[in-house]
Amino acid sequence: MRNRLAALCCSSDPDISVLDKFFDEMATEACSYRYLSCQQMILGMKDFLRGSDHVFMQCVNGMHPAERPEPEDLSILRERISLTDSVPTEEFSRRRRSLNGVFKRSIGDIETTPFDMDSAHFYRVGKVLYRINDQEGFIAERKASKAISYTIRITLLRRKARRIFPKLKEEYKHSRGSFTTEEFWKELLSL
């Protein structure tokens, strides 16, 4: 996230809607119970908001340590869920107000892939079995406390980002010259 935003700001003049797309991705991760992924996206956005000097220093420091769910055997995981026949449909505005039904009674569990980005598929679902491949997957569970926490964090971060984005865009654009030289990268990477 931070690298995509930094590259966009260094190479073009993106409007504020670019930020909204990234925040929508964060919200989708939270609505899909991929809380670890949402956390990584929040850290990336915070890095971006700290400015170009900080982002490019991350090339030396590396990425934030990422926790990932441990893949398990699909046949064993399937025994731990109760698949639902169908997920109820609800218009987007009502799903959004109820944090995608996290406070409503669960209607059962679903099985899908990690590439499923449609929050409607997760409405009122209790557990999600994510198939990584034909043999392995992991289970993600909805948690009201995490849904609330991530919603608040995303909302506050979005407000801050929208407020300082015009200034940050200019900072990244003006720093482009120094960050694209061979000397900068040799020094940064100690080559």
mmCIF file of all heavy atoms in Angstrom, residues 44-85:
data_model
loop_
_atom_site.group_PDB
_atom_site.id
_atom_site.type_symbol
_atom_site.label_atom_id
_atom_site.label_comp_id
_atom_site.label_asym_id
_atom_site.label_seq_id
_atom_site.Cartn_x
_atom_site.Cartn_y
_atom_site.Cartn_z
ATOM 1 N N GLY A 44 0.813 0.227 6.559
ATOM 2 C CA GLY A 44 1.314 0.795 5.313
ATOM 3 C C GLY A 44 0.821 2.222 5.090
ATOM 4 O O GLY A 44 1.591 3.096 4.671
ATOM 5 N N MET A 45 -0.448 2.469 5.390
ATOM 6 C CA MET A 45 -0.995 3.821 5.236
ATOM 7 C C MET A 45 -0.329 4.769 6.227
ATOM 8 O O MET A 45 -0.003 5.911 5.873
ATOM 9 C CB MET A 45 -2.508 3.807 5.428
ATOM 10 C CG MET A 45 -3.158 5.169 5.257
ATOM 11 S SD MET A 45 -2.920 5.925 3.621
ATOM 12 C CE MET A 45 -4.063 4.964 2.647
ATOM 13 N N LYS A 46 -0.128 4.319 7.447
ATOM 14 C CA LYS A 46 0.545 5.171 8.438
ATOM 15 C C LYS A 46 1.956 5.519 7.973
ATOM 16 O O LYS A 46 2.401 6.655 8.143
ATOM 17 C CB LYS A 46 0.583 4.488 9.807
ATOM 18 C CG LYS A 46 -0.747 4.490 10.520
ATOM 19 C CD LYS A 46 -0.627 3.821 11.875
ATOM 20 C CE LYS A 46 -1.919 3.938 12.653
ATOM 21 N NZ LYS A 46 -1.822 3.291 13.976
ATOM 22 N N ASP A 47 2.657 4.548 7.393
ATOM 23 C CA ASP A 47 3.990 4.819 6.835
ATOM 24 C C ASP A 47 3.912 5.898 5.765
ATOM 25 O O ASP A 47 4.682 6.857 5.768
ATOM 26 C CB ASP A 47 4.601 3.556 6.201
ATOM 27 C CG ASP A 47 5.144 2.583 7.219
ATOM 28 O OD1 ASP A 47 5.293 2.958 8.400
ATOM 29 O OD2 ASP A 47 5.424 1.441 6.825
ATOM 30 N N PHE A 48 2.977 5.746 4.841
ATOM 31 C CA PHE A 48 2.819 6.715 3.753
ATOM 32 C C PHE A 48 2.555 8.113 4.312
ATOM 33 O O PHE A 48 3.132 9.101 3.845
ATOM 34 C CB PHE A 48 1.686 6.296 2.814
ATOM 35 C CG PHE A 48 1.343 7.337 1.800
ATOM 36 C CD1 PHE A 48 2.149 7.546 0.696
ATOM 37 C CD2 PHE A 48 0.215 8.129 1.956
ATOM 38 C CE1 PHE A 48 1.849 8.526 -0.238
ATOM 39 C CE2 PHE A 48 -0.095 9.107 1.027
ATOM 40 C CZ PHE A 48 0.717 9.308 -0.069
ATOM 41 N N LEU A 49 1.711 8.196 5.322
ATOM 42 C CA LEU A 49 1.344 9.491 5.893
ATOM 43 C C LEU A 49 2.494 10.151 6.653
ATOM 44 O O LEU A 49 2.467 11.350 6.889
ATOM 45 C CB LEU A 49 0.121 9.354 6.813
ATOM 46 C CG LEU A 49 -1.173 8.914 6.119
ATOM 47 C CD1 LEU A 49 -2.293 8.751 7.149
ATOM 48 C CD2 LEU A 49 -1.579 9.869 5.016
ATOM 49 N N ARG A 50 3.505 9.384 7.016
ATOM 50 C CA ARG A 50 4.671 9.958 7.701
ATOM 51 C C ARG A 50 5.596 10.680 6.729
ATOM 52 O O ARG A 50 6.508 11.378 7.158
ATOM 53 C CB ARG A 50 5.429 8.865 8.446
ATOM 54 C CG ARG A 50 4.631 8.382 9.658
ATOM 55 C CD ARG A 50 5.278 7.240 10.357
ATOM 56 N NE ARG A 50 6.442 7.694 11.114
ATOM 57 C CZ ARG A 50 7.215 6.869 11.794
ATOM 58 N NH1 ARG A 50 6.971 5.585 11.806
ATOM 59 N NH2 ARG A 50 8.250 7.340 12.459
ATOM 60 N N GLY A 51 5.402 10.496 5.440
ATOM 61 C CA GLY A 51 6.155 11.269 4.455
ATOM 62 C C GLY A 51 7.157 10.448 3.661
ATOM 63 O O GLY A 51 7.451 9.300 3.972
ATOM 64 N N SER A 52 7.678 11.103 2.633
ATOM 65 C CA SER A 52 8.543 10.408 1.676
ATOM 66 C C SER A 52 9.848 9.930 2.296
ATOM 67 O O SER A 52 10.321 8.835 1.986
ATOM 68 C CB SER A 52 8.823 11.308 0.472
ATOM 69 O OG SER A 52 9.442 12.511 0.893
ATOM 70 N N ASP A 53 10.454 10.714 3.184
ATOM 71 C CA ASP A 53 11.703 10.268 3.810
ATOM 72 C C ASP A 53 11.494 8.958 4.574
ATOM 73 O O ASP A 53 12.295 8.037 4.481
ATOM 74 C CB ASP A 53 12.253 11.328 4.768
ATOM 75 C CG ASP A 53 12.819 12.526 4.035
ATOM 76 O OD1 ASP A 53 13.212 12.366 2.858
ATOM 77 O OD2 ASP A 53 12.860 13.614 4.624
ATOM 78 N N HIS A 54 10.403 8.887 5.294
ATOM 79 C CA HIS A 54 10.107 7.676 6.070
ATOM 80 C C HIS A 54 9.863 6.476 5.144
ATOM 81 O O HIS A 54 10.383 5.387 5.381
ATOM 82 C CB HIS A 54 8.895 7.901 6.972
ATOM 83 C CG HIS A 54 8.511 6.673 7.740
ATOM 84 N ND1 HIS A 54 9.209 6.254 8.849
ATOM 85 C CD2 HIS A 54 7.535 5.764 7.533
ATOM 86 C CE1 HIS A 54 8.670 5.142 9.302
ATOM 87 N NE2 HIS A 54 7.645 4.819 8.531
ATOM 88 N N VAL A 55 9.075 6.673 4.089
ATOM 89 C CA VAL A 55 8.746 5.571 3.183
ATOM 90 C C VAL A 55 10.004 5.000 2.547
ATOM 91 O O VAL A 55 10.205 3.784 2.506
ATOM 92 C CB VAL A 55 7.732 6.006 2.094
ATOM 93 C CG1 VAL A 55 7.648 4.977 0.974
ATOM 94 C CG2 VAL A 55 6.362 6.208 2.720
ATOM 95 N N PHE A 56 10.882 5.872 2.063
ATOM 96 C CA PHE A 56 12.060 5.359 1.387
ATOM 97 C C PHE A 56 13.059 4.737 2.359
ATOM 98 O O PHE A 56 13.815 3.848 1.981
ATOM 99 C CB PHE A 56 12.688 6.427 0.501
ATOM 100 C CG PHE A 56 11.853 6.665 -0.721
ATOM 101 C CD1 PHE A 56 11.034 7.774 -0.817
ATOM 102 C CD2 PHE A 56 11.852 5.754 -1.762
ATOM 103 C CE1 PHE A 56 10.244 7.979 -1.922
ATOM 104 C CE2 PHE A 56 11.054 5.943 -2.884
ATOM 105 C CZ PHE A 56 10.256 7.063 -2.964
ATOM 106 N N MET A 57 13.037 5.139 3.616
ATOM 107 C CA MET A 57 13.890 4.487 4.611
ATOM 108 C C MET A 57 13.386 3.079 4.910
ATOM 109 O O MET A 57 14.145 2.223 5.352
ATOM 110 C CB MET A 57 13.978 5.308 5.899
ATOM 111 C CG MET A 57 14.814 6.577 5.750
ATOM 112 S SD MET A 57 16.438 6.304 5.006
ATOM 113 C CE MET A 57 17.204 5.265 6.227
ATOM 114 N N GLN A 58 12.124 2.832 4.665
ATOM 115 C CA GLN A 58 11.580 1.494 4.865
ATOM 116 C C GLN A 58 12.217 0.482 3.924
ATOM 117 O O GLN A 58 12.197 -0.713 4.181
ATOM 118 C CB GLN A 58 10.060 1.490 4.677
ATOM 119 C CG GLN A 58 9.294 2.243 5.733
ATOM 120 C CD GLN A 58 9.481 1.642 7.101
ATOM 121 O OE1 GLN A 58 9.313 0.457 7.299
ATOM 122 N NE2 GLN A 58 9.856 2.456 8.068
ATOM 123 N N CYS A 59 12.807 0.957 2.828
ATOM 124 C CA CYS A 59 13.518 0.054 1.919
ATOM 125 C C CYS A 59 14.707 -0.582 2.639
ATOM 126 O O CYS A 59 15.097 -1.706 2.330
ATOM 127 C CB CYS A 59 14.003 0.807 0.678
ATOM 128 S SG CYS A 59 12.652 1.419 -0.335
ATOM 129 N N VAL A 60 15.284 0.133 3.582
ATOM 130 C CA VAL A 60 16.403 -0.398 4.368
ATOM 131 C C VAL A 60 15.869 -1.238 5.524
ATOM 132 O O VAL A 60 16.336 -2.343 5.780
ATOM 133 C CB VAL A 60 17.287 0.750 4.921
ATOM 134 C CG1 VAL A 60 18.328 0.212 5.873
ATOM 135 C CG2 VAL A 60 17.927 1.500 3.782
ATOM 136 N N ASN A 61 14.876 -0.705 6.214
ATOM 137 C CA ASN A 61 14.350 -1.372 7.408
ATOM 138 C C ASN A 61 13.494 -2.591 7.081
ATOM 139 O O ASN A 61 13.269 -3.422 7.942
ATOM 140 C CB ASN A 61 13.515 -0.395 8.242
ATOM 141 C CG ASN A 61 14.338 0.791 8.692
ATOM 142 O OD1 ASN A 61 15.550 0.699 8.823
ATOM 143 N ND2 ASN A 61 13.684 1.922 8.905
ATOM 144 N N GLY A 62 12.989 -2.658 5.873
ATOM 145 C CA GLY A 62 12.129 -3.769 5.480
ATOM 146 C C GLY A 62 10.678 -3.523 5.848
ATOM 147 O O GLY A 62 10.328 -2.505 6.415
ATOM 148 N N MET A 63 9.863 -4.485 5.515
ATOM 149 C CA MET A 63 8.434 -4.369 5.770
ATOM 150 C C MET A 63 8.137 -4.658 7.234
ATOM 151 O O MET A 63 8.959 -5.214 7.952
ATOM 152 C CB MET A 63 7.679 -5.358 4.886
ATOM 153 C CG MET A 63 7.811 -5.049 3.414
ATOM 154 S SD MET A 63 6.994 -6.268 2.382
ATOM 155 C CE MET A 63 5.299 -6.024 2.845
ATOM 156 N N HIS A 64 6.931 -4.294 7.650
ATOM 157 C CA HIS A 64 6.481 -4.641 8.991
ATOM 158 C C HIS A 64 6.370 -6.162 9.075
ATOM 159 O O HIS A 64 5.960 -6.801 8.121
ATOM 160 C CB HIS A 64 5.115 -4.015 9.268
ATOM 161 C CG HIS A 64 5.145 -2.528 9.288
ATOM 162 N ND1 HIS A 64 5.651 -1.820 10.352
ATOM 163 C CD2 HIS A 64 4.761 -1.605 8.371
ATOM 164 C CE1 HIS A 64 5.567 -0.520 10.091
ATOM 165 N NE2 HIS A 64 5.036 -0.369 8.899
ATOM 166 N N PRO A 65 6.746 -6.732 10.201
ATOM 167 C CA PRO A 65 6.588 -8.185 10.329
ATOM 168 C C PRO A 65 5.110 -8.537 10.155
ATOM 169 O O PRO A 65 4.250 -7.904 10.752
ATOM 170 C CB PRO A 65 7.059 -8.493 11.741
ATOM 171 C CG PRO A 65 7.478 -7.212 12.353
ATOM 172 C CD PRO A 65 7.254 -6.107 11.394
ATOM 173 N N ALA A 66 4.855 -9.494 9.314
ATOM 174 C CA ALA A 66 3.471 -9.853 9.014
ATOM 175 C C ALA A 66 3.110 -11.186 9.658
ATOM 176 O O ALA A 66 3.817 -12.163 9.493
ATOM 177 C CB ALA A 66 3.264 -9.931 7.507
ATOM 178 N N GLU A 67 2.014 -11.171 10.378
ATOM 179 C CA GLU A 67 1.461 -12.418 10.886
ATOM 180 C C GLU A 67 0.557 -12.971 9.796
ATOM 181 O O GLU A 67 -0.158 -12.230 9.143
ATOM 182 C CB GLU A 67 0.634 -12.164 12.141
ATOM 183 C CG GLU A 67 1.431 -11.701 13.330
ATOM 184 C CD GLU A 67 0.519 -11.483 14.519
ATOM 185 O OE1 GLU A 67 -0.357 -12.323 14.767
ATOM 186 O OE2 GLU A 67 0.686 -10.452 15.180
ATOM 187 N N ARG A 68 0.645 -14.242 9.604
ATOM 188 C CA ARG A 68 -0.216 -14.890 8.619
ATOM 189 C C ARG A 68 -0.874 -16.096 9.271
ATOM 190 O O ARG A 68 -0.264 -16.777 10.093
ATOM 191 C CB ARG A 68 0.600 -15.348 7.421
ATOM 192 C CG ARG A 68 1.325 -14.221 6.741
ATOM 193 C CD ARG A 68 1.555 -14.543 5.271
ATOM 194 N NE ARG A 68 2.380 -13.556 4.612
ATOM 195 C CZ ARG A 68 2.008 -12.349 4.264
ATOM 196 N NH1 ARG A 68 0.804 -11.949 4.525
ATOM 197 N NH2 ARG A 68 2.820 -11.511 3.659
ATOM 198 N N PRO A 69 -2.099 -16.375 8.878
ATOM 199 C CA PRO A 69 -2.734 -17.574 9.424
ATOM 200 C C PRO A 69 -1.977 -18.821 8.946
ATOM 201 O O PRO A 69 -1.492 -18.857 7.821
ATOM 202 C CB PRO A 69 -4.149 -17.538 8.849
ATOM 203 C CG PRO A 69 -4.188 -16.438 7.865
ATOM 204 C CD PRO A 69 -2.945 -15.642 7.967
ATOM 205 N N GLU A 70 -1.874 -19.784 9.799
ATOM 206 C CA GLU A 70 -1.183 -21.027 9.466
ATOM 207 C C GLU A 70 -2.105 -21.907 8.611
ATOM 208 O O GLU A 70 -3.194 -22.261 9.045
ATOM 209 C CB GLU A 70 -0.793 -21.757 10.759
ATOM 210 C CG GLU A 70 0.155 -22.893 10.575
ATOM 211 C CD GLU A 70 1.506 -22.454 10.055
ATOM 212 O OE1 GLU A 70 2.014 -21.403 10.483
ATOM 213 O OE2 GLU A 70 2.055 -23.190 9.214
ATOM 214 N N PRO A 71 -1.673 -22.242 7.399
ATOM 215 C CA PRO A 71 -2.518 -23.110 6.558
ATOM 216 C C PRO A 71 -2.672 -24.503 7.194
ATOM 217 O O PRO A 71 -1.741 -25.026 7.797
ATOM 218 C CB PRO A 71 -1.750 -23.211 5.237
ATOM 219 C CG PRO A 71 -0.725 -22.141 5.267
ATOM 220 C CD PRO A 71 -0.459 -21.833 6.700
ATOM 221 N N GLU A 72 -3.872 -25.031 7.046
ATOM 222 C CA GLU A 72 -4.161 -26.367 7.561
ATOM 223 C C GLU A 72 -4.822 -27.186 6.462
ATOM 224 O O GLU A 72 -5.248 -26.655 5.430
ATOM 225 C CB GLU A 72 -5.105 -26.277 8.771
ATOM 226 C CG GLU A 72 -4.518 -25.547 9.968
ATOM 227 C CD GLU A 72 -5.497 -25.486 11.124
ATOM 228 O OE1 GLU A 72 -6.044 -26.548 11.496
ATOM 229 O OE2 GLU A 72 -5.721 -24.386 11.645
ATOM 230 N N ASP A 73 -4.956 -28.472 6.708
ATOM 231 C CA ASP A 73 -5.564 -29.392 5.761
ATOM 232 C C ASP A 73 -7.046 -29.041 5.571
ATOM 233 O O ASP A 73 -7.794 -28.925 6.553
ATOM 234 C CB ASP A 73 -5.404 -30.824 6.274
ATOM 235 C CG ASP A 73 -5.928 -31.835 5.287
ATOM 236 O OD1 ASP A 73 -7.151 -32.104 5.308
ATOM 237 O OD2 ASP A 73 -5.113 -32.338 4.483
ATOM 238 N N LEU A 74 -7.476 -28.911 4.318
ATOM 239 C CA LEU A 74 -8.869 -28.518 4.034
ATOM 240 C C LEU A 74 -9.882 -29.504 4.591
ATOM 241 O O LEU A 74 -10.923 -29.097 5.110
ATOM 242 C CB LEU A 74 -9.080 -28.384 2.515
ATOM 243 C CG LEU A 74 -8.806 -27.035 1.886
ATOM 244 C CD1 LEU A 74 -9.045 -27.087 0.386
ATOM 245 C CD2 LEU A 74 -9.634 -25.936 2.501
ATOM 246 N N SER A 75 -9.603 -30.783 4.483
ATOM 247 C CA SER A 75 -10.584 -31.773 4.944
ATOM 248 C C SER A 75 -10.829 -31.647 6.454
ATOM 249 O O SER A 75 -11.956 -31.786 6.931
ATOM 250 C CB SER A 75 -10.142 -33.193 4.582
ATOM 251 O OG SER A 75 -8.878 -33.480 5.144
ATOM 252 N N ILE A 76 -9.782 -31.345 7.218
ATOM 253 C CA ILE A 76 -9.931 -31.145 8.661
ATOM 254 C C ILE A 76 -10.687 -29.854 8.949
ATOM 255 O O ILE A 76 -11.581 -29.812 9.801
ATOM 256 C CB ILE A 76 -8.553 -31.142 9.357
ATOM 257 C CG1 ILE A 76 -7.901 -32.517 9.231
ATOM 258 C CG2 ILE A 76 -8.667 -30.712 10.819
ATOM 259 C CD1 ILE A 76 -6.453 -32.570 9.666
ATOM 260 N N LEU A 77 -10.360 -28.805 8.200
ATOM 261 C CA LEU A 77 -11.030 -27.515 8.399
ATOM 262 C C LEU A 77 -12.521 -27.604 8.078
ATOM 263 O O LEU A 77 -13.341 -26.982 8.754
ATOM 264 C CB LEU A 77 -10.369 -26.436 7.538
ATOM 265 C CG LEU A 77 -8.951 -26.036 7.936
ATOM 266 C CD1 LEU A 77 -8.378 -25.058 6.921
ATOM 267 C CD2 LEU A 77 -8.930 -25.428 9.329
ATOM 268 N N ARG A 78 -12.869 -28.346 7.054
ATOM 269 C CA ARG A 78 -14.289 -28.460 6.666
ATOM 270 C C ARG A 78 -15.126 -29.083 7.775
ATOM 271 O O ARG A 78 -16.331 -28.833 7.859
ATOM 272 C CB ARG A 78 -14.407 -29.247 5.365
ATOM 273 C CG ARG A 78 -13.987 -28.431 4.170
ATOM 274 C CD ARG A 78 -14.230 -29.145 2.853
ATOM 275 N NE ARG A 78 -13.891 -28.278 1.752
ATOM 276 C CZ ARG A 78 -13.000 -28.581 0.818
ATOM 277 N NH1 ARG A 78 -12.367 -29.746 0.822
ATOM 278 N NH2 ARG A 78 -12.757 -27.728 -0.160
ATOM 279 N N GLU A 79 -14.511 -29.883 8.623
ATOM 280 C CA GLU A 79 -15.235 -30.481 9.743
ATOM 281 C C GLU A 79 -15.530 -29.456 10.837
ATOM 282 O O GLU A 79 -16.401 -29.677 11.675
ATOM 283 C CB GLU A 79 -14.419 -31.642 10.334
ATOM 284 C CG GLU A 79 -14.266 -32.814 9.387
ATOM 285 C CD GLU A 79 -13.310 -33.875 9.913
ATOM 286 O OE1 GLU A 79 -12.878 -33.775 11.092
ATOM 287 O OE2 GLU A 79 -12.989 -34.790 9.140
ATOM 288 N N ARG A 80 -14.811 -28.335 10.838
ATOM 289 C CA ARG A 80 -14.954 -27.322 11.898
ATOM 290 C C ARG A 80 -15.923 -26.200 11.537
ATOM 291 O O ARG A 80 -16.068 -25.248 12.302
ATOM 292 C CB ARG A 80 -13.581 -26.733 12.227
ATOM 293 C CG ARG A 80 -12.672 -27.772 12.836
ATOM 294 C CD ARG A 80 -11.269 -27.350 13.171
ATOM 295 N NE ARG A 80 -11.000 -25.952 13.364
ATOM 296 C CZ ARG A 80 -9.796 -25.414 13.157
ATOM 297 N NH1 ARG A 80 -8.794 -26.145 12.738
ATOM 298 N NH2 ARG A 80 -9.606 -24.132 13.365
ATOM 299 N N ILE A 81 -16.561 -26.298 10.380
ATOM 300 C CA ILE A 81 -17.506 -25.247 9.993
ATOM 301 C C ILE A 81 -18.860 -25.854 9.650
ATOM 302 O O ILE A 81 -18.967 -27.045 9.387
ATOM 303 C CB ILE A 81 -16.981 -24.403 8.799
ATOM 304 C CG1 ILE A 81 -16.792 -25.255 7.552
ATOM 305 C CG2 ILE A 81 -15.687 -23.692 9.168
ATOM 306 C CD1 ILE A 81 -16.481 -24.454 6.305
ATOM 307 N N SER A 82 -19.893 -25.012 9.671
ATOM 308 C CA SER A 82 -21.255 -25.413 9.284
ATOM 309 C C SER A 82 -21.661 -24.562 8.093
ATOM 310 O O SER A 82 -22.095 -23.417 8.261
ATOM 311 C CB SER A 82 -22.224 -25.168 10.436
ATOM 312 O OG SER A 82 -21.829 -25.868 11.577
ATOM 313 N N LEU A 83 -21.478 -25.105 6.904
ATOM 314 C CA LEU A 83 -21.759 -24.331 5.696
ATOM 315 C C LEU A 83 -23.222 -23.948 5.601
ATOM 316 O O LEU A 83 -24.110 -24.756 5.883
ATOM 317 C CB LEU A 83 -21.352 -25.111 4.446
ATOM 318 C CG LEU A 83 -19.856 -25.267 4.220
ATOM 319 C CD1 LEU A 83 -19.587 -26.148 3.009
ATOM 320 C CD2 LEU A 83 -19.186 -23.918 4.043
ATOM 321 N N THR A 84 -23.477 -22.728 5.206
ATOM 322 C CA THR A 84 -24.830 -22.237 4.995
ATOM 323 C C THR A 84 -25.221 -22.471 3.538
ATOM 324 O O THR A 84 -24.357 -22.538 2.661
ATOM 325 C CB THR A 84 -24.947 -20.741 5.345
ATOM 326 O OG1 THR A 84 -26.304 -20.345 5.185
ATOM 327 C CG2 THR A 84 -24.065 -19.877 4.469
ATOM 328 N N ASP A 85 -26.511 -22.602 3.303
ATOM 329 C CA ASP A 85 -26.985 -22.780 1.932
ATOM 330 C C ASP A 85 -26.927 -21.485 1.145
ATOM 331 O O ASP A 85 -26.674 -21.481 -0.047
ATOM 332 C CB ASP A 85 -28.422 -23.314 1.923
ATOM 333 C CG ASP A 85 -28.495 -24.713 2.501
ATOM 334 O OD1 ASP A 85 -27.503 -25.462 2.394
ATOM 335 O OD2 ASP A 85 -29.543 -25.052 3.084
#
